[in-house]
Amino acid sequence: MITASDGIDGIAVFLKEQIDLILLDILLPKMDGYAVCELIRKESEVPIIMISALGREEDQIKGFEMQIDDYIPKPISLPIMIKKIEAVLRRYEGVDITKDHELKYREIILIVGNYQVKIGKKLIDLTQKEYEILKELIENQGCVITRESF
């Protein structure tokens, strides 16, 4: 988990790190959550859940118009927040194996057994070792993989 103390720090963290989901408060110092969301949406479709003491319908609608994935008014129920995060991540995350024997992770498509990877429209040939490493990483995302495992 990575945190930021204000909106400007939040943008800096977003640009520097690989972020899977953003919990974004609206009432942030230096730059409010709406401005942060607008900048992030220009760059990414990363899942965003807004949390805020602003529980009015207008505030929530504004967030959804900015393409957030969910809105949680304060006070926050921790069990509900966890379930909402899990639901959003289910829609965005995960490796999925297609019928064409490909492993997918975001925009990366590894063609199983073919030593090739597609990134966007670009097809890249891999060495056997590159293929094995990438396949292992995709199949075991979120886990620590050591050099000894190869």
Side-chain angles (χ1 to χ4, degrees):
M1 179 170 64
I2 303 168
T3 61
S5 58
D6 60 57
I8 293 172
D9 284 346
I11 292 295
V13 167
F14 168 75
L15 293 172
K16 184 176 144 187
E17 301 290 336
Q18 177 69 27
I19 305 295
D20 295 318
L21 179 131
I22 296 172
L23 287 174
L24 181 60
D25 198 335
I26 294 172
L27 301 174
L28 294 172
K30 298 185 183 175
M31 179 186 292
D32 72 24
Y34 292 125
V36 171
C37 182
E38 185 177 2
L39 290 171
I40 289 171
R41 278 295 173 247
K42 288 180 181 178
E43 300 294 320
S44 173
E45 293 182 21
V46 64
I48 298 174
I49 298 175
M50 279 192 163
I51 55 175
S52 181
L54 304 176
R56 297 178 319 186
E57 187 175 272
E58 299 85 36
D59 299 311
Q60 294 180 45
I61 288 171
K62 183 175 180 178
F64 285 111
E65 286 174 346
M66 299 180 81
Q67 300 177 0
I68 64 167
D69 296 277
D70 208 337
Y71 191 105
I72 304 172
K74 292 180 182 177
I76 297 169
S77 159
L78 189 57
I80 294 295
M81 184 173 74
I82 290 169
K83 291 299 179 188
K84 287 181 178 251
I85 290 169
E86 289 172 351
V88 169
L89 287 176
R90 265 196 313 272
R91 291 191 296 270
Y92 279 89
E93 289 287 322
V95 175
D96 95 75
I97 301 174
T98 67
K99 58 184 173 260
D100 298 326
H101 302 300
E102 298 174 340
L103 290 175
K104 288 185 176 183
Y105 181 72
R106 298 189 181 179
E107 67 274 359
I108 299 170
I109 300 171
L110 182 70
I111 303 168
V112 176
N114 207 14
Y115 300 103
Q116 292 180 319
V117 66
K118 284 191 257 183
I119 302 175
K121 295 181 180 182
K122 189 174 183 181
L123 187 63
I124 302 166
D125 292 319
L126 301 174
T127 65
Q128 180 179 356
K129 195 62 162 177
E130 290 169 334
Y131 169 82
E132 290 170 2
I133 291 170
L134 185 56
K135 184 174 186 281
E136 187 77 14
L137 290 171
I138 291 174
E139 289 176 335
N140 297 289
Q141 68 171 317
C143 299
V144 175
I145 307 295
T146 64
R147 178 182 285 251
E148 291 75 29
S149 66
F150 293 98

